[in-house]
Each structure stands twice: as C-alpha cells, then as structure tokens.
Amino acid sequence: ERLRADLARAATADRRRSGVGSSPSAASPPPGGGGGGSGDAAAFEALRAALGQREVELARKTAMLVHLGGQLRAEGDRADAAEERADELADGAGPNREAEAEALRAALGEQRIQLGAAEREAAEQRARRADGERAYAELRDAHEAAQEELSALSPEFFDEIESLKYAHSQGAAQLARYERLYGRLPPEQTD
C-alpha cells in the first residue's frame, strides 16, 4: 500500500510539473536570432536559465529513480521471503498450515502485482530521465554556441560602438547648430 501511495504521489507531482509552462524550445528564443547584441545576451541568459532548470529537474528525477529502485528491491525481497515461507508451510502438514500457505500465496500474488507496477513506473522514470538528459544536452549545446557567439563581442567592439554613438551625437548637435545659424537647406534635386 505504501509503495502504491508513493508511486501515485510521484506520478501526480511529475504530471503537475510537466504540465506547468511550455516546452524548453518554446520558452527560449533560438540562439543567434535576436537581431542585436542585447538580443543575443537575452537569448544567452534564457538558455542559461533553462539549462539550470533542466539540471535541477534531472537531479530530482535521478533521486526519484534511485528511491523507486530501493523500493523495488525491498518489494522483491519481501516477495521472495513470502514465497519461501509459503513453500515451507506447504511442506508442513495440517489444514491450518494449508490455509496459511494459501493466504501467503495470495499475499505473494498481490506483492507481485505491486512489483510489476513499480517496475513499470521505474521504466517510465528511466524514459523520462533519458528525455531529460537529451534536452539537457541540447540546451548545453545551444548554451555553448551562444557563448561562442558572444565571445566574438570583445570589449574593443563595445568601445567602438560607444565611440560611434558619441560621434553621431556630436554630428547631430553640430547639424542643429548650423540649421539654427543658416536655416534648413532645401532638398537636393537630382535629375
């Protein structure tokens, strides 16, 4: 009963977690597709956050899988002990022993059903973990690609951008000064 309750809680919690939010590919923009430096930085940060979430989720699922494996082994041990006890009782004589052996066999059947359910849940957890590892690898690759793209943006590049912005603002101020002094020039006519 305890194993069933644990499995049901784990499955419900996992469904709730996987139902919240959207898929990782929809949550983060594609690497390199932002248009500018700040878009790349935002994409990089989004990938970093998604990667962190996947690492946490992978660790949680790994711990859950280890826990389920321990429960599975314990149930298997209990089933083996019950089967041995049933065999011992079956070898003994008397109507009470036969009834006790039947009860033990029935309990063994229930434990085998529980064991089968636990094995199926463990297989599902392994499949989910494999999916999580694949998603983690994809995010890690995207993170590395974004980091490589951002590494090309050196401090000198940003210094040059700042220099160009300053020169543009100086030119705009000088143009405004000339327009105040001389008025606006008529547009050039090209024939």
Side-chain angles (χ1 to χ4, degrees):
E1 288 300 317
R2 187 172 51 96
L3 176 62
R4 282 186 196 160
D6 287 347
L7 289 174
R9 277 196 308 276
T12 301
D14 194 38
R15 279 193 298 273
R16 268 192 247 128
R17 272 188 226 93
S18 59
V20 174
S22 57
S23 70
S25 60
S28 60
S38 64
D40 287 342
F44 178 73
E45 287 304 317
L47 283 171
R48 179 178 285 174
L51 182 62
Q53 289 172 348
R54 286 296 182 177
E55 286 174 342
V56 168
E57 185 177 342
L58 183 60
R60 182 189 56 77
K61 286 188 177 182
T62 300
M64 187 184 298
L65 188 60
V66 168
H67 177 71
L68 285 174
Q71 287 181 337
L72 183 62
R73 279 191 293 280
E75 286 298 320
D77 291 345
R78 278 198 289 265
D80 290 343
E83 188 171 4
E84 287 175 15
R85 180 73 176 134
D87 289 342
E88 288 173 7
L89 291 174
D91 291 341
N96 285 342
R97 297 246 182 212
E98 191 61 38
E100 189 179 344
E102 265 320 298
L104 286 174
R105 282 190 184 96
L108 176 63
E110 288 180 29
Q111 286 183 342
R112 284 195 173 137
I113 290 170
Q114 291 175 355
L115 182 62
E119 286 173 344
R120 284 189 297 278
E121 178 64 26
E124 289 174 10
Q125 287 292 329
R126 283 191 295 273
R128 281 191 223 116
R129 180 174 183 210
D131 290 343
E133 287 174 348
R134 275 192 295 277
Y136 174 76
E138 290 173 8
L139 284 171
R140 186 183 60 234
D141 292 345
H143 176 266
E144 289 170 0
Q147 205 167 15
E148 190 175 311
E149 282 182 30
L150 288 175
S151 69
L153 303 178
S154 65
E156 292 82 23
F157 171 79
F158 290 107
D159 289 344
E160 188 170 335
I161 294 292
E162 288 301 317
S163 174
L164 288 171
K165 285 169 47 179
Y166 178 75
H168 179 266
S169 69
Q170 290 298 317
Q174 189 172 5
L175 178 62
R177 211 173 22 251
Y178 286 155
E179 285 180 346
R180 271 195 318 272
L181 289 174
Y182 304 112
R184 261 188 150 1
L185 295 175
E188 290 184 27
Q189 303 243 343
T190 57
D191 291 324

